[in-house]
Amino acid sequence: MLVTSLLSFALAGLMSVAANAAQPHDWGIGLQESASTVMDDIHWFGNFTFWIIGVIVVFVAILLAIVMIKFNAKANPEPSKTSHNTMIEVVWTVVPILILLVLAVPSFRLLYKQMEIPSADVTVKVTGYQWYWGYEYPDNPDVSFDSIMLSEEEIKEKGTNEPRLLAVDNEMVVPVGKVVRLQITSADVIHAYALPAFGVKMDAVPGRLNESWFTADREGMYYGQCSELCGKDHAFMPLAVRVVSQEKYDAWLAAAAEDVEEANKALIASTTSATKSNLQLAAQ
């Protein structure tokens, strides 16, 4: 009985962790945990920029302190009449240029990596609507569905531990470790498809097909949101991506061609059963 209770508790905790793997957290002050190589580079560049900014802030603060202490009216009653200093002017021109170059090189390298889409294993067309998302799999024309946010009552009825304002009825499903090309557009106004854990943020513009990509490093649930003010329900059109193994993805894709909702139920059931099996093995 005790073992069963512990297993149930561990399962609930594990499912909660999985659900919260890629979403905003209370008191969060940094970027979401990375789940792709692009986001790894964004993390690195953010930290790199922070330290450069930190050094500049400290340096300027020291200069201000020196000016306030050494050159105030009381300590320096006769101010300097200096009106020109060639060396200072050269330094404050050259040093900022060098700093910008140091920032520009990794910045352009990261931008190129984001925009240069490698050969794709999976292509998903994403269409923004007021106020939900539509998904199509061009390589499998029979697979297409809408993704609409679940209310708190619907989450309770579903019986899952999914996050409020982020859970949806149908998640986008992709395989782990594969290049996923996103073709992003809109059917009405400008939206923005943003998945922080993958380093993806691309505008969805009516009449235009923008492209982005990601490769998920690990399985799990990943959440994002529309990041372009698009009307009264802008805050209620979340993104949800379920990353699974290639075997589960193939099974889901085949089933989704017939019935997306049943395919999703089967996928969730297989994921849950696999989690239970792993917990039981760990407890033995």
Side-chain angles (χ1 to χ4, degrees), residues 123-153:
T123 299
V124 182
K125 183 179 179 182
V126 183
T127 304
Y129 299 91
Q130 289 180 308
W131 289 271
Y132 61 96
W133 297 95
Y135 296 99
E136 301 172 53
Y137 288 68
D139 298 329
N140 300 83
D142 294 330
V143 180
S144 63
F145 53 89
D146 293 332
S147 180
I148 302 172
M149 190 191 78
L150 295 176
S151 66
E152 293 185 63
E153 292 74 18

mmCIF file of all heavy atoms in Angstrom, residues 123-153:
data_model
loop_
_atom_site.group_PDB
_atom_site.id
_atom_site.type_symbol
_atom_site.label_atom_id
_atom_site.label_comp_id
_atom_site.label_asym_id
_atom_site.label_seq_id
_atom_site.Cartn_x
_atom_site.Cartn_y
_atom_site.Cartn_z
ATOM 1 N N THR A 123 7.715 19.208 -41.784
ATOM 2 C CA THR A 123 7.238 20.555 -42.082
ATOM 3 C C THR A 123 5.835 20.736 -41.504
ATOM 4 O O THR A 123 4.972 19.871 -41.694
ATOM 5 C CB THR A 123 7.198 20.820 -43.600
ATOM 6 O OG1 THR A 123 8.519 20.690 -44.125
ATOM 7 C CG2 THR A 123 6.678 22.218 -43.889
ATOM 8 N N VAL A 124 5.646 21.835 -40.785
ATOM 9 C CA VAL A 124 4.331 22.149 -40.213
ATOM 10 C C VAL A 124 3.956 23.568 -40.631
ATOM 11 O O VAL A 124 4.737 24.507 -40.420
ATOM 12 C CB VAL A 124 4.332 22.041 -38.676
ATOM 13 C CG1 VAL A 124 2.935 22.329 -38.127
ATOM 14 C CG2 VAL A 124 4.803 20.665 -38.217
ATOM 15 N N LYS A 125 2.788 23.722 -41.221
ATOM 16 C CA LYS A 125 2.285 25.048 -41.554
ATOM 17 C C LYS A 125 1.404 25.532 -40.414
ATOM 18 O O LYS A 125 0.466 24.850 -40.007
ATOM 19 C CB LYS A 125 1.477 25.019 -42.851
ATOM 20 C CG LYS A 125 0.982 26.411 -43.271
ATOM 21 C CD LYS A 125 0.200 26.373 -44.573
ATOM 22 C CE LYS A 125 -0.290 27.781 -44.948
ATOM 23 N NZ LYS A 125 -1.108 27.778 -46.184
ATOM 24 N N VAL A 126 1.729 26.721 -39.909
ATOM 25 C CA VAL A 126 1.024 27.303 -38.767
ATOM 26 C C VAL A 126 0.278 28.545 -39.237
ATOM 27 O O VAL A 126 0.876 29.449 -39.823
ATOM 28 C CB VAL A 126 2.002 27.674 -37.642
ATOM 29 C CG1 VAL A 126 1.244 28.198 -36.437
ATOM 30 C CG2 VAL A 126 2.882 26.495 -37.258
ATOM 31 N N THR A 127 -1.018 28.591 -38.967
ATOM 32 C CA THR A 127 -1.829 29.741 -39.361
ATOM 33 C C THR A 127 -2.465 30.370 -38.127
ATOM 34 O O THR A 127 -3.105 29.679 -37.329
ATOM 35 C CB THR A 127 -2.946 29.332 -40.346
ATOM 36 O OG1 THR A 127 -2.360 28.682 -41.476
ATOM 37 C CG2 THR A 127 -3.729 30.553 -40.817
ATOM 38 N N GLY A 128 -2.256 31.664 -37.958
ATOM 39 C CA GLY A 128 -2.850 32.373 -36.833
ATOM 40 C C GLY A 128 -4.231 32.894 -37.175
ATOM 41 O O GLY A 128 -4.458 33.424 -38.270
ATOM 42 N N TYR A 129 -5.157 32.712 -36.247
ATOM 43 C CA TYR A 129 -6.522 33.209 -36.390
ATOM 44 C C TYR A 129 -6.857 34.025 -35.141
ATOM 45 O O TYR A 129 -6.218 33.899 -34.100
ATOM 46 C CB TYR A 129 -7.531 32.061 -36.509
ATOM 47 C CG TYR A 129 -7.336 31.149 -37.693
ATOM 48 C CD1 TYR A 129 -6.540 30.007 -37.590
ATOM 49 C CD2 TYR A 129 -7.959 31.400 -38.917
ATOM 50 C CE1 TYR A 129 -6.361 29.154 -38.672
ATOM 51 C CE2 TYR A 129 -7.794 30.548 -39.997
ATOM 52 C CZ TYR A 129 -6.992 29.432 -39.873
ATOM 53 O OH TYR A 129 -6.821 28.581 -40.947
ATOM 54 N N GLN A 130 -7.890 34.854 -35.241
ATOM 55 C CA GLN A 130 -8.412 35.503 -34.035
ATOM 56 C C GLN A 130 -9.427 34.557 -33.385
ATOM 57 O O GLN A 130 -10.556 34.447 -33.839
ATOM 58 C CB GLN A 130 -9.075 36.829 -34.408
ATOM 59 C CG GLN A 130 -8.086 37.907 -34.844
ATOM 60 C CD GLN A 130 -8.769 39.207 -35.203
ATOM 61 O OE1 GLN A 130 -9.701 39.242 -36.012
ATOM 62 N NE2 GLN A 130 -8.315 40.295 -34.610
ATOM 63 N N TRP A 131 -9.083 33.844 -32.305
ATOM 64 C CA TRP A 131 -7.832 33.859 -31.573
ATOM 65 C C TRP A 131 -7.478 32.428 -31.241
ATOM 66 O O TRP A 131 -7.716 31.932 -30.141
ATOM 67 C CB TRP A 131 -7.975 34.704 -30.305
ATOM 68 C CG TRP A 131 -8.079 36.177 -30.644
ATOM 69 C CD1 TRP A 131 -7.027 37.046 -30.772
ATOM 70 C CD2 TRP A 131 -9.245 36.950 -30.906
ATOM 71 N NE1 TRP A 131 -7.486 38.318 -31.093
ATOM 72 C CE2 TRP A 131 -8.846 38.273 -31.185
ATOM 73 C CE3 TRP A 131 -10.616 36.634 -30.946
ATOM 74 C CZ2 TRP A 131 -9.754 39.289 -31.495
ATOM 75 C CZ3 TRP A 131 -11.504 37.641 -31.268
ATOM 76 C CH2 TRP A 131 -11.063 38.954 -31.522
ATOM 77 N N TYR A 132 -6.883 31.742 -32.189
ATOM 78 C CA TYR A 132 -6.421 30.364 -32.031
ATOM 79 C C TYR A 132 -5.435 30.080 -33.156
ATOM 80 O O TYR A 132 -5.182 30.922 -34.017
ATOM 81 C CB TYR A 132 -7.596 29.383 -32.054
ATOM 82 C CG TYR A 132 -8.402 29.391 -33.339
ATOM 83 C CD1 TYR A 132 -8.141 28.475 -34.344
ATOM 84 C CD2 TYR A 132 -9.420 30.324 -33.543
ATOM 85 C CE1 TYR A 132 -8.865 28.479 -35.527
ATOM 86 C CE2 TYR A 132 -10.147 30.342 -34.721
ATOM 87 C CZ TYR A 132 -9.865 29.416 -35.715
ATOM 88 O OH TYR A 132 -10.577 29.428 -36.888
ATOM 89 N N TRP A 133 -4.858 28.870 -33.136
ATOM 90 C CA TRP A 133 -3.878 28.489 -34.147
ATOM 91 C C TRP A 133 -4.380 27.291 -34.949
ATOM 92 O O TRP A 133 -5.032 26.407 -34.402
ATOM 93 C CB TRP A 133 -2.543 28.148 -33.494
ATOM 94 C CG TRP A 133 -1.917 29.296 -32.778
ATOM 95 C CD1 TRP A 133 -2.018 29.597 -31.450
ATOM 96 C CD2 TRP A 133 -1.101 30.320 -33.345
ATOM 97 N NE1 TRP A 133 -1.336 30.735 -31.145
ATOM 98 C CE2 TRP A 133 -0.745 31.205 -32.302
ATOM 99 C CE3 TRP A 133 -0.626 30.577 -34.631
ATOM 100 C CZ2 TRP A 133 0.053 32.322 -32.511
ATOM 101 C CZ3 TRP A 133 0.177 31.690 -34.840
ATOM 102 C CH2 TRP A 133 0.504 32.553 -33.784
ATOM 103 N N GLY A 134 -4.027 27.283 -36.213
ATOM 104 C CA GLY A 134 -4.331 26.143 -37.061
ATOM 105 C C GLY A 134 -3.039 25.487 -37.523
ATOM 106 O O GLY A 134 -2.054 26.176 -37.825
ATOM 107 N N TYR A 135 -3.019 24.145 -37.548
ATOM 108 C CA TYR A 135 -1.818 23.406 -37.931
ATOM 109 C C TYR A 135 -2.121 22.482 -39.104
ATOM 110 O O TYR A 135 -3.149 21.806 -39.128
ATOM 111 C CB TYR A 135 -1.297 22.580 -36.755
ATOM 112 C CG TYR A 135 -0.835 23.417 -35.584
ATOM 113 C CD1 TYR A 135 -1.666 23.628 -34.481
ATOM 114 C CD2 TYR A 135 0.429 24.003 -35.575
ATOM 115 C CE1 TYR A 135 -1.252 24.406 -33.409
ATOM 116 C CE2 TYR A 135 0.848 24.783 -34.505
ATOM 117 C CZ TYR A 135 0.006 24.979 -33.417
ATOM 118 O OH TYR A 135 0.432 25.747 -32.373
ATOM 119 N N GLU A 136 -1.204 22.465 -40.059
ATOM 120 C CA GLU A 136 -1.287 21.545 -41.186
ATOM 121 C C GLU A 136 0.075 20.884 -41.379
ATOM 122 O O GLU A 136 1.116 21.519 -41.149
ATOM 123 C CB GLU A 136 -1.670 22.283 -42.472
ATOM 124 C CG GLU A 136 -3.004 23.014 -42.418
ATOM 125 C CD GLU A 136 -3.227 23.876 -43.647
ATOM 126 O OE1 GLU A 136 -3.103 23.332 -44.769
ATOM 127 O OE2 GLU A 136 -3.500 25.077 -43.486
ATOM 128 N N TYR A 137 0.059 19.629 -41.803
ATOM 129 C CA TYR A 137 1.279 18.880 -42.084
ATOM 130 C C TYR A 137 1.325 18.654 -43.602
ATOM 131 O O TYR A 137 0.737 17.690 -44.104
ATOM 132 C CB TYR A 137 1.292 17.568 -41.314
ATOM 133 C CG TYR A 137 1.510 17.732 -39.832
ATOM 134 C CD1 TYR A 137 0.536 18.328 -39.017
ATOM 135 C CD2 TYR A 137 2.688 17.321 -39.213
ATOM 136 C CE1 TYR A 137 0.729 18.503 -37.656
ATOM 137 C CE2 TYR A 137 2.897 17.489 -37.847
ATOM 138 C CZ TYR A 137 1.915 18.083 -37.082
ATOM 139 O OH TYR A 137 2.106 18.257 -35.726
ATOM 140 N N PRO A 138 1.998 19.520 -44.360
ATOM 141 C CA PRO A 138 1.961 19.440 -45.831
ATOM 142 C C PRO A 138 2.396 18.096 -46.399
ATOM 143 O O PRO A 138 1.910 17.688 -47.456
ATOM 144 C CB PRO A 138 2.934 20.555 -46.257
ATOM 145 C CG PRO A 138 2.936 21.514 -45.112
ATOM 146 C CD PRO A 138 2.783 20.665 -43.883
ATOM 147 N N ASP A 139 3.311 17.411 -45.703
ATOM 148 C CA ASP A 139 3.750 16.092 -46.191
ATOM 149 C C ASP A 139 2.687 15.025 -45.975
ATOM 150 O O ASP A 139 2.774 13.935 -46.536
ATOM 151 C CB ASP A 139 5.051 15.676 -45.482
ATOM 152 C CG ASP A 139 6.183 16.650 -45.779
ATOM 153 O OD1 ASP A 139 6.191 17.232 -46.888
ATOM 154 O OD2 ASP A 139 7.057 16.835 -44.917
ATOM 155 N N ASN A 140 1.708 15.334 -45.128
ATOM 156 C CA ASN A 140 0.583 14.429 -44.862
ATOM 157 C C ASN A 140 -0.694 15.259 -44.928
ATOM 158 O O ASN A 140 -1.216 15.704 -43.897
ATOM 159 C CB ASN A 140 0.720 13.770 -43.483
ATOM 160 C CG ASN A 140 1.997 12.958 -43.363
ATOM 161 O OD1 ASN A 140 3.069 13.502 -43.074
ATOM 162 N ND2 ASN A 140 1.889 11.667 -43.604
ATOM 163 N N PRO A 141 -1.227 15.486 -46.118
ATOM 164 C CA PRO A 141 -2.349 16.418 -46.313
ATOM 165 C C PRO A 141 -3.596 16.105 -45.486
ATOM 166 O O PRO A 141 -4.415 17.001 -45.265
ATOM 167 C CB PRO A 141 -2.646 16.275 -47.819
ATOM 168 C CG PRO A 141 -1.377 15.760 -48.412
ATOM 169 C CD PRO A 141 -0.774 14.874 -47.370
ATOM 170 N N ASP A 142 -3.738 14.852 -45.038
ATOM 171 C CA ASP A 142 -4.928 14.498 -44.267
ATOM 172 C C ASP A 142 -4.847 14.961 -42.814
ATOM 173 O O ASP A 142 -5.832 14.862 -42.074
ATOM 174 C CB ASP A 142 -5.149 12.971 -44.297
ATOM 175 C CG ASP A 142 -5.497 12.463 -45.690
ATOM 176 O OD1 ASP A 142 -6.111 13.239 -46.442
ATOM 177 O OD2 ASP A 142 -5.158 11.315 -46.003
ATOM 178 N N VAL A 143 -3.683 15.426 -42.399
ATOM 179 C CA VAL A 143 -3.499 15.834 -40.999
ATOM 180 C C VAL A 143 -3.556 17.356 -40.900
ATOM 181 O O VAL A 143 -2.653 18.066 -41.357
ATOM 182 C CB VAL A 143 -2.162 15.323 -40.429
ATOM 183 C CG1 VAL A 143 -1.997 15.772 -38.972
ATOM 184 C CG2 VAL A 143 -2.081 13.815 -40.531
ATOM 185 N N SER A 144 -4.626 17.872 -40.335
ATOM 186 C CA SER A 144 -4.770 19.305 -40.078
ATOM 187 C C SER A 144 -5.777 19.470 -38.944
ATOM 188 O O SER A 144 -6.725 18.686 -38.823
ATOM 189 C CB SER A 144 -5.234 20.057 -41.326
ATOM 190 O OG SER A 144 -6.511 19.612 -41.726
ATOM 191 N N PHE A 145 -5.575 20.484 -38.113
ATOM 192 C CA PHE A 145 -6.459 20.691 -36.970
ATOM 193 C C PHE A 145 -6.263 22.089 -36.412
ATOM 194 O O PHE A 145 -5.277 22.769 -36.720
ATOM 195 C CB PHE A 145 -6.185 19.649 -35.877
ATOM 196 C CG PHE A 145 -4.732 19.565 -35.446
ATOM 197 C CD1 PHE A 145 -4.246 20.368 -34.431
ATOM 198 C CD2 PHE A 145 -3.862 18.684 -36.073
ATOM 199 C CE1 PHE A 145 -2.918 20.304 -34.038
ATOM 200 C CE2 PHE A 145 -2.532 18.613 -35.695
ATOM 201 C CZ PHE A 145 -2.052 19.412 -34.676
ATOM 202 N N ASP A 146 -7.216 22.511 -35.602
ATOM 203 C CA ASP A 146 -7.124 23.775 -34.889
ATOM 204 C C ASP A 146 -6.713 23.515 -33.444
ATOM 205 O O ASP A 146 -6.967 22.447 -32.890
ATOM 206 C CB ASP A 146 -8.472 24.506 -34.913
ATOM 207 C CG ASP A 146 -8.843 24.960 -36.321
ATOM 208 O OD1 ASP A 146 -7.926 25.202 -37.121
ATOM 209 O OD2 ASP A 146 -10.055 25.046 -36.613
ATOM 210 N N SER A 147 -6.074 24.503 -32.840
ATOM 211 C CA SER A 147 -5.608 24.398 -31.463
ATOM 212 C C SER A 147 -6.163 25.575 -30.676
ATOM 213 O O SER A 147 -5.768 26.730 -30.903
ATOM 214 C CB SER A 147 -4.074 24.404 -31.428
ATOM 215 O OG SER A 147 -3.588 24.299 -30.114
ATOM 216 N N ILE A 148 -7.081 25.282 -29.766
ATOM 217 C CA ILE A 148 -7.815 26.314 -29.030
ATOM 218 C C ILE A 148 -7.548 26.159 -27.533
ATOM 219 O O ILE A 148 -7.504 25.038 -27.010
ATOM 220 C CB ILE A 148 -9.327 26.206 -29.310
ATOM 221 C CG1 ILE A 148 -9.584 26.333 -30.817
ATOM 222 C CG2 ILE A 148 -10.110 27.270 -28.545
ATOM 223 C CD1 ILE A 148 -11.009 26.049 -31.234
ATOM 224 N N MET A 149 -7.372 27.264 -26.848
ATOM 225 C CA MET A 149 -7.086 27.230 -25.414
ATOM 226 C C MET A 149 -8.222 26.583 -24.636
ATOM 227 O O MET A 149 -9.408 26.810 -24.921
ATOM 228 C CB MET A 149 -6.853 28.645 -24.893
ATOM 229 C CG MET A 149 -6.317 28.712 -23.474
ATOM 230 S SD MET A 149 -6.336 30.383 -22.779
ATOM 231 C CE MET A 149 -8.061 30.537 -22.342
ATOM 232 N N LEU A 150 -7.862 25.776 -23.643
ATOM 233 C CA LEU A 150 -8.847 25.152 -22.763
ATOM 234 C C LEU A 150 -9.142 26.072 -21.578
ATOM 235 O O LEU A 150 -8.237 26.698 -21.027
ATOM 236 C CB LEU A 150 -8.327 23.813 -22.237
ATOM 237 C CG LEU A 150 -8.091 22.695 -23.267
ATOM 238 C CD1 LEU A 150 -7.484 21.478 -22.578
ATOM 239 C CD2 LEU A 150 -9.376 22.319 -23.976
ATOM 240 N N SER A 151 -10.392 26.145 -21.199
ATOM 241 C CA SER A 151 -10.756 26.885 -19.991
ATOM 242 C C SER A 151 -10.384 26.065 -18.760
ATOM 243 O O SER A 151 -10.066 24.869 -18.865
ATOM 244 C CB SER A 151 -12.256 27.176 -19.989
ATOM 245 O OG SER A 151 -12.993 25.963 -19.890
ATOM 246 N N GLU A 152 -10.441 26.682 -17.593
ATOM 247 C CA GLU A 152 -10.130 25.961 -16.356
ATOM 248 C C GLU A 152 -11.093 24.794 -16.152
ATOM 249 O O GLU A 152 -10.688 23.719 -15.688
ATOM 250 C CB GLU A 152 -10.193 26.917 -15.164
ATOM 251 C CG GLU A 152 -9.097 27.976 -15.168
ATOM 252 C CD GLU A 152 -9.117 28.823 -13.914
ATOM 253 O OE1 GLU A 152 -8.898 28.268 -12.816
ATOM 254 O OE2 GLU A 152 -9.367 30.036 -14.026
ATOM 255 N N GLU A 153 -12.369 24.987 -16.495
ATOM 256 C CA GLU A 153 -13.355 23.913 -16.351
ATOM 257 C C GLU A 153 -13.032 22.750 -17.284
ATOM 258 O O GLU A 153 -13.139 21.580 -16.897
ATOM 259 C CB GLU A 153 -14.757 24.446 -16.655
ATOM 260 C CG GLU A 153 -15.306 25.449 -15.647
ATOM 261 C CD GLU A 153 -14.660 26.820 -15.751
ATOM 262 O OE1 GLU A 153 -14.042 27.101 -16.817
ATOM 263 O OE2 GLU A 153 -14.739 27.592 -14.780
#
